[in-house]
Amino acid sequence: MSIVDNKKAFFDYFIEERFEAGLVLEGWEVKAIRAGRAQIKEAYVVIRQAELFLIGAHIAPLLSASSHIVPDNTRTRKLLLNAIEIRKLIGKVEQKGYTLVPINLHFSKGNVKCEIGLARGKKQHDKRAATKEREWEVQKGRIARGDLNS
């Protein structure tokens, strides 16, 4: 069950491989994510000292958050993967043109997981072609329904 999707990642990148990573979260963050108060559109993944971190993910605290905790909306959050997967990702990211982007946040067996993608950036003409293809699919659907007015 997906909580938050990063649709911008599919527009800006070709996603070549996907990995599911755990997230190190505080209690108020889990509650806020369950309430749907998370956003990963501007987030990205970096590798520091053979560890993965999610930077720029915005999790807005609930109004009922504890008064003795000062929530930080965009703090850096550690991603949990197997060491073998991390080494594989480090090797791929060091190649020219590859990066790691968060694709979605979802629940798996009660835990919040982040699906990250090994991605290659799209050029401007690729983005235009994707937009044209999407518009053509909409137009085909209209033609098939017989709704030619729109």
Side-chain angles (χ1 to χ4, degrees):
M1 178 178 121
S2 182
I3 306 163
V4 181
D5 288 320
N6 187 359
K7 294 178 184 174
K8 191 172 192 290
F10 292 100
F11 182 71
D12 291 338
Y13 299 99
F14 293 111
I15 308 297
E16 298 196 357
E17 279 188 75
R18 294 173 180 234
F19 296 90
E20 185 179 68
L23 274 167
V24 177
L25 297 171
E26 296 176 356
W28 67 269
E29 292 174 322
V30 176
K31 290 179 181 180
I33 289 171
R34 284 190 188 279
R37 298 176 59 97
Q39 188 257 74
I40 58 172
K41 187 193 296 188
E42 300 296 323
Y44 57 97
V45 179
V46 295
I47 301 172
R48 292 186 193 148
Q49 299 171 353
E51 293 180 334
L52 298 174
F53 293 94
L54 180 65
I55 297 178
H58 183 83
I59 300 175
L62 297 172
L63 296 176
S64 62
S66 178
S67 60
H68 66 277
I69 293 176
V70 180
D72 182 9
N73 297 346
T74 58
R75 75 177 183 88
T76 301
R77 296 166 180 91
K78 186 174 178 181
L79 294 172
L80 306 172
L81 279 165
N82 291 331
I84 295 169
E85 291 176 321
I86 292 174
R87 282 196 297 270
K88 180 179 178 181
L89 286 173
I90 289 171
K92 295 273 188 165
V93 169
E94 287 175 351
Q95 292 180 12
K96 187 176 180 190
Y98 284 100
T99 188
L100 295 171
V101 293
I103 296 173
N104 70 30
L105 293 178
H106 61 275
F107 288 112
S108 177
K109 300 177 186 170
N111 296 322
V112 178
K113 302 286 184 175
C114 179
E115 187 174 359
I116 59 175
L118 182 65
R120 190 170 35 91
K122 284 186 181 179
K123 304 275 191 266
Q124 188 65 37
H125 62 86
D126 293 330
K127 292 179 186 179
R128 275 192 228 111
T131 303
K132 190 180 286 188
E133 181 68 27
R134 189 170 49 247
E135 288 173 356
W136 171 239
E137 290 298 323
V138 170
Q139 191 66 23
K140 280 196 319 192
R142 288 183 182 150
I143 291 169
R145 286 192 319 262
D147 184 16
L148 301 174
N149 297 335
S150 298

